[in-house]
Amino acid sequence: MSKPSKLSPRKQLYLLTCVHAVVDTYATVFPHVLPILLKKLVPQTSARNSYAGVLISVFSNFGSLGQLPFGWLSDRVRTVHFLTFGIAVSAAGMSMLGIAPTILMLVLLVAIGGSGIAAFHPQATAQSAALSKHNTGFGVSLFLMGGNFGRAAGPLAIMYLLVYTYGIESMAWCMIPGLLVAVLVPNTLKMPYTVPAMSPQRGFGAPTLPEKQKDVWRVTRPNLRIFVVLYIIAVMRTITAIGFENFLSLHLDDHQYSNAARSAVIALFLIAGSIGIIIGGWLSDRINRYGLLLFSLLAAPPFLYASLHSAGGIFLILLFTGNCVLSSSITVNIVLGQRLLPERENIASGVMMGAAWGVGGLLITPVGVLSDYFGLPIVLDGLAMLPLVTAVLMLFLQRGQN
């Protein structure tokens, strides 16, 4: 456990948000460099998208499903060094992608970097909720916004200042800022805090667990049904998000976008997600979360689909709006998951973020194969419309309110 911090809980939340931006810079540089790495290490074959799907799946599973064991462990061994380890390992693994000599070494580095990302997120997400006290929706959304800002702006700095100027091998220098932040964290953040229990007035009116019940798995059936359905929705939304984030980069490369322009579009897509998360978090503390989740699933697909069949400024506006709306319900999943599993908030965070992104990432491998078979444009169209199909699951959540 770290020494007591001289910073107030609010200042610690702001600091944790900034640290999240650093970690997610490393987490999101991958789609920017993916086309370059494939051209460098993979023979020019018709299976390019399949190779990409495998790499994306490996990264997503180590970075996302890995959050489950780290979440379980950090619930029992509460120490700030899960954050320290996560920052340092993600910085080292992802920064060395550019010097990978073979595709197998690339897979290994992606797995190492993903493991660091997995170690950081469960505890950090739970602490963001606890540090914000009763405004957990805002606290989590602020934390996620910081990550999304890093996801959008951080890779641009890496690509423009190093990769596009000095070559892909120069990425190795990027690990230095992450290692410095890892040294800073233990002396500035205080752990642990506890997330407030779920209120019956929030989140579908689901009952909370009794005060004395410590076995988190012995939950009521309505709670369990809500948690499982929320998880499935998170997985389906994640398939669209991961698919667009990574395969859109290849799609733009196929359409002769320059590297700089391609990175700018990816950054715009991620900035839209950041804005959607903070808006959704603010709204989740004020309006019906069921309605916000349903709106997100129904309204995002038309914008995303239309963006793929547009060009110029219209393409950018539609793409931005689509991801902003899609991301607005991410905080709903996380906050409800944490409050449905009181005293196991790190596991809940790991499931709603890590396991959802891991399973969603695992399903990207067949998406890559389908892209080689049917063509990338057709598969992107399908990814855009997937949340619309997922909206049917909201019927089960509605029943969970009764």
Side-chain angles (χ1 to χ4, degrees), residues 79-151:
T79 171
V80 73
H81 293 299
F82 282 102
L83 307 187
T84 305
F85 173 84
I87 299 164
V89 172
S90 61
M94 301 308 293
S95 296
M96 291 192 291
L97 293 181
I99 60 176
T102 65
I103 191 70
L104 289 179
M105 181 59 69
L106 182 62
V107 171
L108 177 62
L109 289 173
V110 163
I112 291 173
S115 297
I117 294 164
F120 173 84
H121 279 88
Q123 186 180 81
T125 306
Q127 297 304 69
S128 70
L131 287 167
S132 57
K133 297 183 179 179
H134 299 295
N135 295 319
T136 53
F138 173 77
V140 172
S141 64
L142 180 67
F143 171 78
L144 294 178
M145 186 193 70
N148 270 266
F149 178 81
R151 287 159 59 88

Side-chain angles (χ1 to χ4, degrees), residues 1 31 33 37-38 87 102 110 141 149 156 178 180 253 273 292 298 304 322 347 368:
M1 186 177 295
V33 300
L37 294 172
L38 289 174
I87 299 164
T102 65
V110 163
S141 64
F149 178 81
L156 283 184
L180 292 176
D253 190 58
L292 178 59
L298 292 178
L304 293 174
I347 289 181

Side-chain angles (χ1 to χ4, degrees), residues 289-300:
R289 286 170 177 150
Y290 172 85
L292 178 59
L293 186 55
L294 180 62
F295 172 79
S296 172
L297 297 174
L298 292 178

Side-chain angles (χ1 to χ4, degrees), residues 3 6 19 33 37 55 57 88 126 133 142 167-168 170 189 195 212 215 234 239 276 285 333 383 391 401:
K3 297 179 180 179
K6 296 181 180 180
V19 173
V33 300
L37 294 172
L55 286 168
S57 292
K133 297 183 179 179
L142 180 67
I168 189 69
S170 65
L189 291 177
V195 178
K212 297 181 179 180
D215 186 355
I239 294 173
D285 286 327
N333 284 92
L383 289 174
Q401 289 179 284

Side-chain angles (χ1 to χ4, degrees), residues 51 54 101 135 158 162 177 257 375:
Y51 278 106
V54 171
N135 295 319
I158 292 174
L162 289 175
Y257 275 64

